[in-house]
Amino acid sequence: MEKLSNPQVTIATIKKYDFAFQKKFGQNFLIDEHVLNKIIAAAGVTKDDMVLEIGPGFGTMTQYLAETAREVVAVEIDKALIPVLNETLADYDNVTIINDDILKVDIEKLVHERNDGRPVKVVANLPYYITTPIIMGLLENHVPVDNITVMVQKEVAERMQAGPGTKDYGALSLAVQYYAEPYIAANVPPNCFIPRPNVGSAVIRLNLFEKPPVEVKDEKFMFQIIRASFNQRRKTLQNSVVNGGVPVTKEQIIKALNDMGLSESIRGEALSLEQFAKLSNLLSYI
Ligand code: SAM
């Protein structure tokens, strides 16, 4: 079958199945061959790889992945898309479609069954309404993943990649950068999708670390401090952390900041991941 990246083929498929796009599932399908080639190249998929695709839609990117990977497992929530996928992917014998919510799939079990527990690559044009839970779920649950290459809202990609002192820097930047090295591979305008999203998009690749770049005694505690610091980002770190319900006193924070040679009036947005790690290690001794 001719590829769905040809907009005429996608339009004919919409008509054939009388397909109604579901906003609640974040359905914006790619119709740009150039962008698809860029995603596949950024993901670095080879014939050795098993790829997990989240939300195949009509199977537009799945067609490209099937040609470059050894095996593709694609998880799609919308059951109306299953008959479409059965047709658009009929030429490929290395694709398995699972009709489920990705947030409910036991990915670790899947990787053990399908790839002998060896790390897989995750490639997706993500539904934007659940970008963060999907990515953080993959990172925090220590699923065997080599890299994650995904299309997300441009602002979200920028937040993931941002460093200290910039307006985009926040809890998401630190959470992602604790587990992975982010790299924005391309910016993608709305006219590459049908229907067009109201926002710009970007392809981001996350290369997962074998171990985090900083040593932290209590990860949960560090992220509690980070979240509290950015919940009130215009306030000083000591105020936002205490107001945010982290079980430490102002005096203890001031002492830790002094020990680190930092100003008592510093804001969370000025601290690097390394400094948050050090601060939380100092405070978790209390
Ligand atoms: N990959 C296709 C493409 O690029 O043309 C479609 C991408 S579209 C942005 C997102 C896809 O994710 C839709 O097909 C949508 O139905 C699916 N989806 C939404 N929520 C999902 C979930 N919780 N689990 C699995 N798939 C989901």
Side-chain angles (χ1 to χ4, degrees):
M1 142 170 209
E2 206 188 329
K3 285 216 169 68
L4 289 146
S5 52
N6 174 347
Q8 296 315 320
V9 178
T10 288
I11 290 164
T13 308
I14 296 170
K15 284 201 182 124
K16 178 170 178 189
Y17 287 89
D18 197 14
F19 183 74
F21 285 91
Q22 301 244 34
K23 230 181 170 172
K24 68 170 180 192
F25 289 145
Q27 292 178 339
N28 300 96
F29 297 170
L30 272 166
I31 43 162
D32 188 299
E33 188 182 6
H34 177 68
V35 172
L36 285 152
N37 282 327
K38 261 206 163 150
I39 297 173
I40 306 293
V45 175
T46 72
K47 275 287 167 198
D48 284 338
D49 289 319
M50 170 180 151
V51 171
L52 171 66
E53 187 191 5
I54 299 160
F58 277 178
T60 314
M61 190 151 77
T62 327
Q63 293 178 332
Y64 284 72
L65 290 169
E67 285 173 10
T68 42
R70 190 192 78 241
E71 184 181 350
V72 184
V73 175
V75 180
E76 173 56 60
I77 198 170
D78 186 355
K79 80 172 184 303
L81 286 166
I82 306 306
V84 185
L85 289 163
N86 286 337
E87 183 190 340
T88 60
L89 301 171
D91 290 348
Y92 306 100
D93 60 5
N94 59 345
V95 179
T96 308
I97 305 293
I98 298 176
N99 181 204
D100 207 342
D101 176 347
I102 189 64
L103 296 178
K104 294 189 182 141
V105 173
D106 185 342
I107 300 173
E108 186 149 11
K109 188 166 156 235
L110 193 74
V111 174
H112 276 280
E113 283 171 3
R114 302 289 185 119
N115 209 38
D116 292 334
R118 281 178 295 119
V120 297
K121 292 192 162 88
V122 176
V123 187
N125 170 15
L126 285 179
Y128 294 172
Y129 75 105
I130 44 165
T131 298
T132 309
I134 291 176
I135 293 182
M136 290 319 298
L138 289 167
L139 297 175
E140 284 170 353
N141 298 333
H142 301 282
V143 179
V145 171
D146 188 51
N147 66 55
I148 301 174
T149 306
V150 282
M151 178 90 73
V152 298
Q153 191 177 330
K154 186 168 178 275
E155 285 73 19
V156 175
E158 283 163 356
R159 272 164 37 212
M160 287 184 197
Q161 208 193 24
T166 62
K167 73 168 179 24
D168 294 326
Y169 186 58
L172 181 65
S173 328
L174 287 153
V176 165
Q177 291 167 30
Y178 181 69
Y179 296 103
E181 190 188 1
Y183 158 71
I184 295 181
N187 284 317
V188 181
N191 63 5
C192 296
F193 303 85
I194 186 167
R196 293 180 184 193
N198 297 325
V199 292
S201 304
V203 177
I204 189 161
R205 172 168 161 159
L206 307 175
N207 291 322
L208 274 74
F209 297 131
E210 269 177 31
K211 69 181 192 46
V214 292
E215 269 185 40
V216 182
K217 293 196 175 85
D218 182 346
E219 284 179 13
K220 271 203 176 132
F221 182 61
M222 178 180 76
F223 283 113
Q224 207 183 352
I225 294 175
I226 290 174
R227 270 195 304 275
S229 307
F230 288 99
N231 265 346
Q232 295 183 305
R233 63 184 295 150
R234 305 312 301 163
K235 295 222 162 106
T236 62
L237 181 132
Q238 49 165 301
N239 279 335
S240 16
V241 169
V242 172
N243 295 345
V246 182
V248 287
T249 64
K250 258 193 189 181
E251 292 67 35
Q252 288 164 335
I253 302 177
I254 291 172
K255 177 167 186 326
L257 290 173
N258 285 336
D259 287 353
M260 290 172 65
L262 295 174
S263 155
E264 291 174 13
S265 60
I266 198 162
R267 289 180 183 155
E269 63 193 13
L271 266 67
S272 65
L273 174 61
E274 217 177 331
Q275 288 170 318
F276 271 115
K278 193 156 181 203
L279 180 68
S280 93
N281 287 345
L282 284 171
L283 291 170
S284 64
Y285 259 130
I286 294 159

